[in-house]
Amino acid sequence: MKKTIVIVGGVAGGASAAARLRRISEDTKIIMFEKGEFISFANCGLPYYIGGSIVERDALLVQTVEGMNERFNIDIRNYSEVKSIDRENKSVSVLNIKENKIYEQSYDVLLLSPGASPIKPPIAGLEDSKNVFTLRNIPDTDVIKDFVDNKKPKRATVIGGGFIGVEMAENLTELGIKVTLIEATDQVMAPFDTEMAAIIHNHLRENNVDLILGDGVKQFEEEGRVIVTSSGRKIETDLTIMSIGVKPDSQIAVEAGLKTGKKGHIIVDEHMRTSDENIFAVGDVIEFKDYIFKEPMSLALASPANRQARIAANVIMGKEDVYKGFLGSSVAKIFDLTAASTGWNEKRLKAENKNFDSVTVELNNHAGYYPGAEPIHLKVLYEVPTGRVLGGQSIGALGAEKRIDVLATAIQANMTVDDLTDLELSYAPPYSSAKDPVNMAGYVAQNKLESTLKDVSVLEIDEIAKNENAYVIDVREPEEVILGTVPGAVNIPMEDLRKKVDEIPKDKDIYITCQVGRRGYFSCRILDGLGVKATNLAGGYSLYREQYGITSSSEESNQLENLNVSCADNPDILKKDFSINKSVDARGLQCPGPIAATYKALEELNDGDILEVKASEPGFKRDIGAWSEKTGNRLVSLTKEDTYYRAIISKGRQEVKTLDTKSKDGATMVVFSGDLDKAMASLIIATGAASMGKEVTMFFTFWGLNILRKKGVSVEKDSMEKMFSMMMPEGISELKLSKMNMAGMGTTMMKKVMDEKNVDSPEKLLKQAREMGVNLVACAMSMDIMGIKEEELIDGVEVAGVATYLARTEEAGLNLFI
């Protein structure tokens, strides 16, 4: 006799189970009831169909009734709602919705996959509102899509900051609708911890979403056209999406006496069996244990539902299989951000009194020297003292989800943070770095477990800084600190810590901040070696700035998207189809590379020609406008593309003072030092000045002459000259750092970091200066004293005396001594 298996509900759970059952057995009778029209569709794609990213509605349909019947020989009955379960007689009562008739259907095994439905709280005025919708299925999607396409709403409100809410906010914004997002708690995206969610908050605001946190909805007025919040704020809206969560559709299970949890979910065992041995349940409707600590949990995600469906089908057909628990791996696209998480977060770990710690790192999604590198904030939570990985959160560029997938695998393999450091992950410049962010997080966690690193959260540092016993040091360079720092912080650059260690108060608690945390860690190690204990700010000022919203406003963001400078003197560039005369791809170059490349390109163009520049260096968007104005060119537009900035520049279409000798717009500098860092600084300044149209002269004297020397040139010298040559570096490639040289280690490390960050090498900077027309002058008197012959100098160097230098200084408006 054939076994009859009845399935209640389709989509991820029911449809997947039905297909698996048929693959195992051709003899089994499978009946699937679905109260709606559609048995299997892509829930996660619904917001993107409304927003237009998914064009064809049929693309959302994973399986149709006809297609699944033909392929799997399953008796599929849609528009059929199961109203009750008779456990004793092993039958279900079914309502044929189209005919409005109820009939009985017997079963040998019953599989429940009814899913969950959107929560609709009893808010005053909700029932009378004509423009308030929920999004859970295809019919919901059709109604919203029709409203958007035909009513053309200008303002929309999304209530609830979960996955669907945030995705709807993005998709409605992409349609040109002004969106307000209301979340009753203090953050969106509950799986993320507070400081991580702050990154999402800022990004939403930068993309013109009006974000209201910590304020619920009190009532609807004027048939839904006005929303009144708990604080009394009134919001006018043409369209509202309710997305405050879901509740399990478990009523028939409750009425049948099946065991349920506190929130109404059906409790199942590891075989997906309910409290009735003949009834199984899967998907959004169930409660089981989490993978890590075996705590009761429910989870409304498609991936677990598919896995549960396979397990239930296997067990029903006599195959041994078990479900090991929820992990909660998830990912969302939020405009330009990817936000992914897995495992337990800090809020949950604290609530359950677990012993844990965490690390937060900010690193590029791939090698910095490859164009388009963008940052990823990665947080890893781990058990103390075992180091077992408990969870992870990643927000940033594409590739953030890859790191969470690695951490999810690590959790299921019961790995520790020590194991993260040993993972051999795939590497190529377009995809990662030799040390992946997951590896780096493991190293940092190792340091904390071994007590070589102590850190503090950005959520705590403000209160700490107020304490008179605290002393906060910002170890970034002064030009970085100009853009902001932790209140009360004292700026001591990392390279100056050793010589200024006596200025650091020994009777206070020392806290270190930098940009992303790496220099902070290095500084803590330096100070520890000097007998000063210090605590690092996890995530650095970058994460601190995100937490407190110190970022571009929406208005500034709009200006960034399209500056639209007036172009009355060149009307051709106002046309949509204007031609670009030259294009420069400076992606991957670090400052001053993009500006220098722009200058070179403009030199080759005529007045009125159009230059396109692509650059990924973050400072480019801040500098290019002022630079264009200063050099007499015009920035037409500056837009943010997927992974870079695109500038359109019109050459020379405004009145500019002629750069002649009488204008004193030249620049001269005396290069006395032969240290690598000082040589680089002088060359960067020189190329920067040359790119601004200045006539630049560099006058090399004494130790600075070594910058201009060739390597391996044999020249006849007397004994004193030979001794000098042996003691001095042969050219710019042999120069050492002025500080932190550490017998050459510091220089090697600096060059390695420069290479990783795609900063031009000293040799390339020198070549670039020559190509940009910088005058390189070697002091004849110093050459004579130092025993340096003209044959030893690189090509293009002018040998002259101090009178030449002084004459050019008279023509210069800028003079430096380095």
Side-chain angles (χ1 to χ4, degrees):
M1 184 176 176
K2 289 183 178 181
K3 179 187 290 187
T4 299
I5 302 172
V6 170
I7 300 173
V8 179
V11 199
S16 295
R20 176 62 177 168
L21 287 165
R22 179 57 73 221
R23 287 195 296 271
I24 296 174
S25 170
E26 275 293 322
D27 297 329
T28 303
K29 184 177 181 180
I30 305 170
I31 303 171
M32 184 165 69
F33 294 111
E34 170 58 51
K35 65 181 178 181
E37 177 184 358
F38 304 97
I39 58 166
S40 184
F41 57 89
N43 303 65
C44 301
L46 302 183
Y48 300 100
Y49 172 62
I50 294 170
S53 297
I54 298 173
V55 178
E56 296 298 330
R57 178 179 180 273
D58 286 350
L60 299 171
L61 304 180
V62 179
Q63 279 284 1
T64 63
V65 174
E66 296 77 12
M68 196 164 184
N69 267 327
E70 290 177 4
R71 176 171 292 187
F72 296 105
N73 187 27
I74 296 169
D75 183 359
I76 300 175
R77 306 177 193 178
N78 58 349
Y79 296 111
S80 298
E81 182 179 1
V82 175
K83 304 297 288 186
S84 63
I85 304 170
D86 184 345
R87 292 169 55 192
E88 185 176 349
N89 295 308
K90 296 176 68 174
S91 69
V92 292
S93 177
V94 184
L95 171 65
N96 183 318
I97 296 173
K98 286 187 174 181
E99 297 180 3
N100 195 28
K101 293 181 180 179
I102 292 180
Y103 64 94
E104 300 296 316
Q105 172 64 53
S106 63
Y107 65 82
D108 294 304
V109 177
L110 178 64
L111 175 62
L112 301 177
S113 179
S117 56
I119 295 173
K120 291 184 178 180
I123 301 174
L126 177 58
E127 294 300 323
D128 299 325
S129 300
K130 310 298 184 185
N131 61 345
V132 180
F133 308 98
T134 58
L135 179 62
R136 186 67 183 172
N137 52 37
I138 295 289
D140 293 343
T141 307
D142 289 339
V143 171
I144 298 171
K145 178 74 170 171
D146 180 72
F147 188 96
V148 169
D149 290 347
N150 294 307
K151 299 293 185 181
K152 308 292 183 185
K154 292 182 170 54
R155 301 160 301 183
T157 301
V158 177
I159 301 173
F163 281 83
I164 294 295
V166 170
E167 289 169 351
M168 279 305 303
E170 174 190 2
N171 279 278
L172 292 172
T173 298
E174 297 289 354
L175 291 173
I177 300 171
K178 181 68 179 86
V179 176
T180 299
L181 176 59
I182 302 174
E183 169 56 49
T185 66
D186 60 359
Q187 69 166 80
V188 301
M189 306 292 283
F192 294 89
D193 288 318
T194 303
E195 77 280 15
M196 298 293 283
I199 302 170
I200 301 173
H201 297 165
N202 289 331
H203 194 64
L204 288 169
R205 289 173 175 132
E206 287 173 350
N207 282 277
N208 297 320
V209 174
D210 184 7
L211 183 60
I212 301 174
L213 299 174
D215 198 1
V217 175
K218 181 180 179 181
Q219 65 186 50
F220 291 91
E221 296 179 349
E222 298 182 25
E223 296 185 329
R225 292 190 296 274
V226 174
I227 297 173
V228 182
T229 69
S230 301
S231 65
R233 179 173 176 176
K234 290 192 174 186
I235 301 161
E236 294 183 357
T237 183
D238 303 315
L239 164 69
T240 297
I241 306 294
M242 293 282 291
S243 180
I244 61 176
V246 295
K247 59 182 179 180
D249 285 335
S250 59
Q251 188 61 32
I252 59 171
V254 172
E255 292 174 354
L258 296 179
K259 190 175 180 181
T260 56
K262 293 179 180 179
K263 295 183 178 180
H265 295 85
I266 304 170
I267 296 176
V268 297
D269 64 12
E270 61 185 0
H271 304 298
M272 313 315 299
R273 188 179 274 111
T274 70
S275 53
D276 185 319
E277 65 177 359
N278 297 307
I279 303 177
F280 293 73
V282 298
D284 300 354
V285 77
I286 73 164
E287 177 185 295
F288 189 58
K289 299 173 182 177
D290 90 276
Y291 183 85
I292 300 172
F293 291 113
K294 311 306 178 186
E295 300 284 351
M297 182 179 173
S298 60
L299 190 67
L301 289 175
S303 182
N306 275 281
R307 174 68 181 138
Q308 294 155 18
R310 182 183 178 89
I311 291 169
N314 286 345
V315 174
I316 290 169
M317 300 308 296
K319 294 172 64 70
E320 184 64 31
D321 205 349
V322 297
Y323 186 56
K324 297 179 181 179
F326 293 112
L327 196 56
S329 301
S330 59
V331 62
K333 175 185 175 295
I334 308 169
F335 293 102
D336 299 326
L337 285 183
T338 298
S341 68
T342 190
W344 284 49
N345 60 21
E346 186 170 324
K347 296 189 293 289
R348 192 174 171 202
L349 288 166
K350 285 181 177 178
E352 296 295 332
N353 295 315
K354 305 296 184 183
N355 292 322
F356 77 97
D357 203 346
S358 67
V359 296
T360 304
V361 297
E362 181 187 333
L363 296 159
N364 284 336
N365 62 338
H366 61 65
Y369 56 82
Y370 186 85
E374 292 187 285
I376 288 175
H377 291 271
L378 177 63
K379 181 174 184 177
V380 177
L381 301 106
Y382 55 92
E383 191 174 51
V384 174
T386 65
R388 179 172 61 138
V389 181
L390 303 178
Q393 299 159 39
S394 182
I395 301 176
L398 194 64
E401 77 292 346
K402 167 187 171 182
R403 277 71 193 192
I404 291 303
D405 287 343
V406 173
L407 291 176
T409 305
I411 293 172
Q412 297 213 240
N414 205 35
M415 294 171 69
T416 68
V417 292
D418 287 337
D419 297 320
L420 297 184
T421 67
D422 292 331
L423 291 176
E424 185 178 317
L425 303 174
S426 59
Y427 158 62
Y431 302 103
S432 184
S433 297
K435 291 179 181 176
D436 190 85
V438 172
N439 299 134
M440 294 301 295
Y443 291 132
V444 177
Q446 266 187 342
N447 291 335
K448 291 189 73 174
L449 283 172
E450 295 169 359
S451 299
T452 56
L453 169 65
K454 184 179 178 183
D455 64 16
V456 65
S457 167
V458 292
L459 300 174
E460 304 172 279
I461 191 64
D462 271 1
E463 284 302 314
I464 289 172
K466 292 176 184 177
N467 193 315
E468 60 182 19
N469 291 324
Y471 191 79
V472 183
I473 303 174
D474 191 323
V475 296
R476 295 176 296 164
E477 295 301 314
E479 55 269 28
E480 295 177 88
V481 178
I482 290 172
L483 301 176
T485 186
V486 174
V490 176
N491 181 214
I492 304 178
M494 185 177 73
E495 292 185 356
D496 294 338
L497 283 175
R498 290 181 177 86
K499 66 183 180 183
K500 293 189 176 183
V501 67
D502 292 337
E503 300 176 18
I504 299 173
K506 306 301 185 293
D507 60 341
K508 292 191 176 185
D509 298 323
I510 308 302
Y511 296 87
I512 304 294
T513 178
C514 64
Q515 187 65 18
V516 299
R518 293 186 68 187
R519 280 177 287 175
Y521 167 66
F522 297 151
S523 298
C524 287
R525 300 304 301 144
I526 291 171
L527 291 176
D528 186 65
L530 297 172
V532 179
K533 298 295 181 182
T535 300
N536 191 31
L537 178 62
Y541 183 70
S542 175
L543 191 57
Y544 176 90
R545 179 183 58 203
E546 295 284 0
Q547 177 61 35
Y548 295 101
I550 307 170
T551 184
S552 299
S553 67
S554 297
E555 183 178 351
E556 290 168 339
S557 180
N558 285 336
Q559 292 172 353
L560 172 63
E561 288 299 316
N562 192 349
L563 297 180
N564 283 333
V565 180
S566 173
C567 300
D569 52 356
N570 189 2
D572 288 342
I573 63 177
L574 294 176
K575 299 176 183 177
K576 290 183 179 180
D577 58 347
F578 67 84
S579 60
I580 293 173
N581 301 97
K582 188 176 182 63
S583 183
V584 171
D585 192 342
R587 289 175 290 185
L589 296 180
Q590 297 295 318
C591 181
I595 293 293
T598 302
Y599 169 78
K600 287 182 182 179
L602 285 170
E603 283 288 284
E604 300 171 9
L605 298 178
N606 300 315
D607 280 0
D609 285 350
I610 302 298
L611 173 68
E612 174 192 54
V613 183
K614 298 176 182 177
S616 54
E617 200 273 318
F620 179 77
K621 70 178 184 292
R622 296 189 299 269
D623 297 340
I624 189 62
W627 183 88
S628 297
E629 182 179 357
K630 181 72 175 177
T631 56
N633 302 294
R634 190 180 296 283
L635 180 61
V636 179
S637 69
L638 177 62
T639 55
K640 177 71 167 66
E641 306 298 332
D642 287 342
T643 58
Y644 62 92
Y645 299 97
R646 178 177 181 262
I648 301 296
I649 301 167
S650 173
K651 179 173 179 178
R653 279 297 194 177
Q654 61 187 49
E655 290 297 321
V656 192
K657 181 170 61 176
T658 304
L659 300 180
D660 55 24
T661 54
K662 294 181 181 180
S663 69
K664 291 200 171 186
D665 203 26
T668 56
M669 58 181 70
V670 177
V671 185
F672 178 85
S673 172
D675 295 322
L676 174 62
D677 42 348
K678 295 175 183 176
M680 287 183 61
S682 64
L683 290 167
I684 289 172
I685 294 170
T687 55
S691 73
M692 301 289 283
K694 295 180 183 293
E695 183 75 20
V696 182
T697 297
M698 301 180 73
F699 189 74
F700 296 84
T701 183
F702 286 96
W703 312 114
L705 289 168
N706 292 306
I707 298 171
L708 303 178
R709 292 181 67 192
K710 291 180 182 177
K711 192 172 183 178
V713 177
S714 179
V715 181
E716 186 175 342
K717 297 185 178 185
D718 61 30
S719 57
M720 184 64 73
E721 291 172 338
K722 287 179 180 178
M723 288 181 64
F724 266 110
S725 291
M726 291 174 61
M727 292 186 292
M728 294 188 300
E730 282 188 300
I732 195 167
S733 63
E734 298 295 321
L735 302 185
K736 309 297 182 186
L737 289 175
S738 61
K739 294 181 175 66
M740 289 180 62
N741 191 40
M742 298 182 288
M745 282 182 59
T747 303
T748 302
M749 289 167 60
M750 177 64 75
K751 289 183 177 181
K752 184 175 185 300
V753 171
M754 287 165 55
D755 183 60
E756 290 179 349
K757 299 294 184 182
N758 206 27
V759 175
D760 288 341
S761 66
E763 296 86 351
K764 190 171 181 179
L765 282 171
L766 182 58
K767 181 182 177 183
Q768 191 177 69
R770 292 160 63 193
E771 290 176 349
M772 295 181 71
V774 174
N775 300 305
L776 307 179
V777 180
C779 176
M781 180 270 294
S782 296
M783 287 176 62
D784 187 50
I785 294 175
M786 307 290 285
I788 296 176
K789 307 298 184 182
E790 188 169 353
E791 298 96 304
E792 293 180 80
L793 301 181
I794 62 175
D795 296 334
V797 175
E798 176 185 0
V799 178
V802 70
T804 298
Y805 160 69
L806 291 174
R808 294 183 185 176
T809 302
E810 283 293 315
E811 302 167 359
L814 171 69
N815 185 42
L816 300 174
F817 188 96
I818 300 177

